[in-house]
Amino acid sequence: MTVLTEVVAGVTLPPYRLRTSTVRLFRFSAVTWNAHRIHYDAEYARSEGYPDVLVQSHLHGCVLLNAVLAWAGPGVTLRSFGWQNRGIAVAGDELIVTGEVVEVRDAPGERVAELRLEERRQDGELCAPGHVTVAWPAGPAGPDGPAGP
Amino acid sequence: MGDGDTGVLVAAERRLAAETGVTRRRDLGVLAVRDLERFALVAGAPALPDGQAPPLYLSSVMGWSPGPPESELRPDGSGTDETRGLPLEGLRLMGAGQELQFHHPARAGDRVVETTTLLSVRHKSGRTGDLLLLHVRREFADGAGRPLVTCDETFVAR
């Protein structure tokens, strides 16, 4: 979790890691009612030229956002977020998110930050670049007050 | 890619072009707290206060209806309800990313209404053969019409 005084352009997020597994992919498909065999049927995934079952495009998005929320703390409001699926990951891969604050601006009662994000596999291959805009309430202590409890 | 596959792609492009700009509206029902908690758990997302939905919940769910039965799924396992209702017969669809605007958090107990519009379909010749790039806009609102999330999503169809 971060403190608003630390939020300036150039600040980097602590790397966020999430290990995928066939169980996680199955359960993500189940809760999103995604019956695409490429996520749970390894033989089918291989028939399409992949080494194993694929991490869902939306799970890549979730992992990027997890990194932002873990860093920004519970007081943050998401304004906008986007990502592109550029490279695949399969069950067993570890996904690692890094990010950097590229712009900070103060508005009445809030501080707004824009970040650039990257999600890579453990071997360094880029899976999903992204970007996010977040805002914190300035609070009674002003824009330099703590972002969360 | 063989001529037959290109034919499938061209036919799909023609079907999809007729859908461009058409907006469909549907009631997704009431958000259940258990579904939101399960999503947060498997996505590794932090638990949110007041029954709030994880931010990517609405735009990640592929199917909102009970069906279709297995016999009506495509060979890759997908059903039309899980591909934004688009006429994609003969094609394989992959999500390629989203751009989201968050207006107001969705919460357990909210009734959610979705409007879907196919913004564009483009035929591209890439390194790995021909493909269609689809841009789909979905706007989620609560039962009172208050906007929750706007999601522009890119799909690659092969």
Side-chain angles (χ1 to χ4, degrees), chain A residues 62-100:
Chain A
C62 289
V63 174
L64 283 162
L65 212 43
N66 289 350
V68 174
L69 295 172
W71 168 78
V76 80
T77 301
L78 289 172
R79 292 287 163 77
S80 62
F81 169 60
W83 83 90
Q84 294 175 297
N85 295 101
R86 291 268 181 84
I88 62 149
V90 298
D93 280 338
E94 186 180 38
L95 302 172
I96 303 150
V97 178
T98 56
E100 182 182 357

Side-chain angles (χ1 to χ4, degrees), chain B residues 79-98:
Chain B
T80 52
D81 183 46
E82 290 135 59
T83 51
R84 317 306 185 218
L86 297 169
L88 291 165
E89 286 70 20
L91 296 183
R92 290 179 283 125
L93 194 71
M94 301 259 301
Q98 297 185 340

Side-chain angles (χ1 to χ4, degrees), chain A residues 16 18 23-24 27-28 31-38 40 44 48 50 54 57-59 61-63 65-66 69-70 78-86 88 131, chain B residues 35 38-39 41-46 55-57 59-67 73 75-78 82 84 92-102 153:
Chain A
Y16 172 91
L18 185 128
V23 172
R24 186 188 294 277
R27 296 212 292 180
F28 191 83
V31 75
T32 57
W33 203 244
N34 178 351
H36 201 306
R37 291 165 64 190
I38 211 161
Y40 56 86
Y44 177 83
E48 290 208 11
Y50 300 109
L54 290 191
S57 62
H58 302 112
L59 183 53
C62 289
V63 174
L65 212 43
N66 289 350
L69 295 172
L78 289 172
R79 292 287 163 77
S80 62
F81 169 60
W83 83 90
Q84 294 175 297
N85 295 101
R86 291 268 181 84
I88 62 149
H131 59 91
Chain B
D35 292 342
R38 285 178 170 176
F39 183 88
L41 177 77
V42 298
L56 293 191
Y57 179 75
S59 65
S60 295
V61 171
M62 297 297 284
W64 294 93
S65 76
L73 295 175
D76 69 3
S78 63
E82 290 135 59
R84 317 306 185 218
R92 290 179 283 125
L93 194 71
M94 301 259 301
Q98 297 185 340
E99 291 290 331
L100 301 121
Q101 306 287 326
F102 301 102
E153 187 158 22

